Each structure stands twice: as structure tokens, then as C-alpha cells.
Amino acid sequence: MEPGSPSANPSERSSNWTADFVGIVIAILTLIAPLVVIAHYSSGSAPLPSTNHSLP
């Protein structure tokens, strides 16, 4: 590739828009899924174990 030559002609945009769409969906799920899982498991719905130990 020569310096100053464009890497790809803008009119030759990828015609496979489904691949672009799938890539965007995977990227969004990759960013959102960990947040949803962390929020679900750290909701505090599980009771904490009680510590009713009497010290001597």
C-alpha cells in the first residue's frame, strides 16, 4: 500500500450488513451481560449467615 492511498474506497463499504449487525449485538452483550450478572448476584436477596457466637 502506498503512502497517501486510501485503505478502502468509501463506496466499497461492506455490503454484508448482517455481519455488522451481529458484531454490534455481540459487542453490546459483552458490555452489558457482566453488569446484569453482577447486579443479579449482588442484590442482597440471600440472607447473611447469623453469627450468634458467645465469647467466653
Side-chain angles (χ1 to χ4, degrees):
M1 183 161 59
E2 298 176 16
S5 65
S7 60
N9 191 352
S11 64
E12 295 176 6
R13 174 89 172 112
S14 173
S15 60
N16 194 356
W17 63 271
T18 55
D20 291 338
F21 180 75
V22 170
I24 290 171
V25 169
I26 290 172
I28 290 173
L29 287 176
T30 301
L31 294 173
I32 293 177
L35 299 176
V36 171
V37 170
I38 290 170
H40 175 72
Y41 285 109
S42 68
S43 64
S45 60
L48 296 175
S50 62
T51 55
N52 293 334
H53 298 105
S54 55
L55 297 174

